Amino acid sequence: MNRVIPAVMQSEMLRFHILSLLKAVFLLSLLAVACGRADSRCTTRRCLAEMLINKSYTSQPQYENCTQIIYVPFIEYQTLSVDTKNLRLISRLQASLVWSDLELGWNTSVYQYDEVVLPVSKVWTPELHVTNGIVTTMKHSSRDLMVYSNGTLRHSVIINAEVNCEVNLFNYPFAADECPVAIQTWSTDGCGTELAFGELRMIDGTHGDWKTDYVSLQKQRDDRNYIMVALRIKYLNPFITLMLPSILIVLADGVSFALPLGGGERNSFKVTLVLSFTMFLIILNNELPGDSHCSPIIRTHFCVCLVLMVLSMLVSLVLTRVAKDGGLIFCCCSKESTPENAAKKDEKEDEEAKAGISVVQPDASEEHSRMLRKVVNFLQDLHAKEQESERHQKLANILDKTFFWFYFILGIIYFSAMSYVMVNYKCSVNHFDFWY
């Protein structure tokens, strides 16, 4: 009897240990399950970002309407430079983009955050193009973008564009014109994206010789948006380097009429001015703007200045000939006695003297009178030559003064007319020929 009781007690104790062990295993399994559920319900901001990344939505959001609206609440425009040789406008744009992708939204009761940061490469982002751009590059301003709980995404991009803009350079160096920078996104057959613009702001409007007066957002159709950029050249630098030297050289050419015709000083000075102006044009050839529909009138101005200077030089050379011989080269025969004419005249006088000689030898008085006649004839010829030279010089001076006043008046009229045309004349250019 006593032996049976301990055996029962041992079995009860064994059963109690087994039950305790099972309870411990059960509690451990419950704890493991609870921990697993706690890990699966991670609600941190980074877990939210990883959850959105795992969706891998890299295609454009598409709903009942195949067109996605891209809002551009802010654009920052900057003119970098204007290439007048190749007629290019180099500009920089920074745009803020906002669009919706409802499938990237989340429940704020589970993830108690209103925004999260995602990598740009893991979601779809719109792409902007410059329609009339020859070279256009768009890059993201950051490798990340902002996503809000309602599925709204916000991002910023930077666009560098080299625009083919035929700037009106007819009035150079007083040129001013407007150049469009057309912005669009991909769209075809009713699908794609559309742009809705907001505020436009210009920064740093002065670069080099050009100044940006203003920029404005405009459109021709609902799908044709562009930024109209008003450009104006700062005329002081090109006026000093191009216009002023030509004016001063022509002025020096006009003042050179004060030099006398004789001696060759005036002719040498005028030839030097023509050569100097020619070298001036050769050196500044690369600085002149390129040809376009409205070719720069400054090229015509330089041509006219060169023609005026060459004409002045030729007239000065001809008047020098007139002052010396009284006639033009290849036109009039000179009346001045040549050595051959003088020799013939002496021979004729000797023949006349021989014809008058008789057999009787002349006395000393006749010889003396013949010598006196020769001296008188020489002095008369010399006086006639001086009078003729004075007449030639007087004629040359009259022609010189006449041409000087003609040159002076013509120069004033030309520079006045050229200045008026450069400042006031407008040449029209079609800047929207890239749209058809």
Side-chain angles (χ1 to χ4, degrees), residues 155-192:
H155 188 42
S156 180
V157 296
I158 298 174
I159 302 174
N160 292 308
E162 183 176 342
V163 179
N164 182 17
C165 180
E166 190 172 348
V167 183
N168 179 13
L169 295 175
F170 179 84
N171 308 93
Y172 188 89
F174 305 100
D177 201 4
E178 293 182 343
C179 184
V181 179
I183 302 177
Q184 69 174 22
T185 56
W186 179 84
S187 178
T188 182
D189 295 333
C191 290

Side-chain angles (χ1 to χ4, degrees), residues 86-355:
N86 300 311
L87 303 179
R88 300 286 187 270
L89 171 64
I90 296 96
S91 57
R92 177 184 181 274
L93 297 92
Q94 183 168 353
S96 177
L97 307 179
V98 177
W99 69 98
S100 297
D101 190 349
L102 300 179
E103 297 181 36
L104 289 178
W106 65 87
N107 190 351
T108 54
S109 62
V110 179
Y111 298 97
Q112 299 179 357
Y113 306 102
D114 290 329
E115 64 278 326
V116 68
V117 177
L118 294 183
V120 174
S121 59
K122 299 300 181 180
V123 295
W124 176 84
T125 56
E127 186 175 359
L128 303 183
H129 305 279
V130 177
T131 307
N132 57 337
I134 298 176
V135 179
T136 304
T137 58
M138 191 196 83
K139 62 180 181 179
H140 304 285
S141 59
S142 174
R143 293 186 297 177
D144 300 309
L145 54 76
M146 189 72 69
V147 182
Y148 295 91
S149 59
N150 60 354
T152 301
L153 292 87
R154 183 181 293 274
H155 188 42
S156 180
V157 296
I158 298 174
I159 302 174
N160 292 308
E162 183 176 342
V163 179
N164 182 17
C165 180
E166 190 172 348
V167 183
N168 179 13
L169 295 175
F170 179 84
N171 308 93
Y172 188 89
F174 305 100
D177 201 4
E178 293 182 343
C179 184
V181 179
I183 302 177
Q184 69 174 22
T185 56
W186 179 84
S187 178
T188 182
D189 295 333
C191 290
T193 54
E194 292 183 2
L195 295 176
F197 290 94
E199 181 185 0
L200 173 64
R201 182 181 301 174
M202 179 187 69
I203 62 170
D204 195 12
T206 302
H207 272 281
D209 291 334
W210 288 85
K211 177 183 178 182
T212 304
D213 288 339
Y214 63 88
V215 293
S216 62
L217 277 170
Q218 301 179 19
K219 60 171 55 181
Q220 286 191 347
R221 298 187 325 203
D222 292 337
D223 59 340
R224 291 183 176 181
N225 303 283
Y226 62 93
I227 300 175
M228 184 60 78
V229 183
L231 300 170
R232 181 178 300 275
I233 192 170
K234 296 186 290 185
Y235 63 86
L236 183 60
N237 185 35
F239 178 81
I240 292 176
T241 57
L242 297 177
M243 288 291 296
L244 186 59
S246 64
I247 296 174
L248 293 178
I249 292 177
V250 173
L251 178 62
D253 184 64
V255 176
S256 66
F257 282 94
L259 295 174
L261 285 174
E265 292 86 357
R266 181 196 288 190
N267 296 335
S268 300
F269 184 73
K270 286 184 175 293
V271 171
T272 303
L273 286 179
V274 172
L275 294 177
S276 300
F277 191 73
T278 305
M279 291 300 298
F280 169 75
L281 295 182
I282 293 174
I283 293 173
L284 292 181
N285 184 47
N286 294 329
E287 300 296 329
L288 295 176
D291 288 330
S292 62
H293 175 72
C294 296
S295 182
I297 197 174
I298 194 172
R299 295 180 179 273
T300 306
H301 164 71
F302 286 147
C303 181
V304 173
C305 290
L306 185 60
V307 169
L308 288 176
M309 294 176 64
V310 171
L311 178 63
S312 173
M313 179 187 68
L314 295 178
V315 169
S316 180
L317 294 174
V318 171
L319 291 181
T320 302
R321 178 70 179 183
V322 171
K324 184 177 180 181
D325 296 336
L328 302 180
I329 304 176
F330 306 126
C331 294
C332 300
C333 296
S334 176
K335 298 179 181 179
E336 183 181 358
S337 58
T338 61
E340 295 179 355
N341 295 333
K344 291 181 180 179
K345 186 176 181 181
D346 292 340
E347 291 177 358
K348 183 177 181 181
E349 291 179 353
D350 292 340
E351 289 178 356
E352 291 178 353
K354 290 180 180 179

Side-chain angles (χ1 to χ4, degrees), residues 409-427:
I409 296 173
L410 180 63
I412 292 178
I413 295 175
Y414 164 72
F415 280 106
S416 300
M418 180 61 67
S419 300
Y420 178 81
V421 170
M422 279 187 175
V423 175
N424 296 307
Y425 183 79
K426 301 298 181 184
C427 182

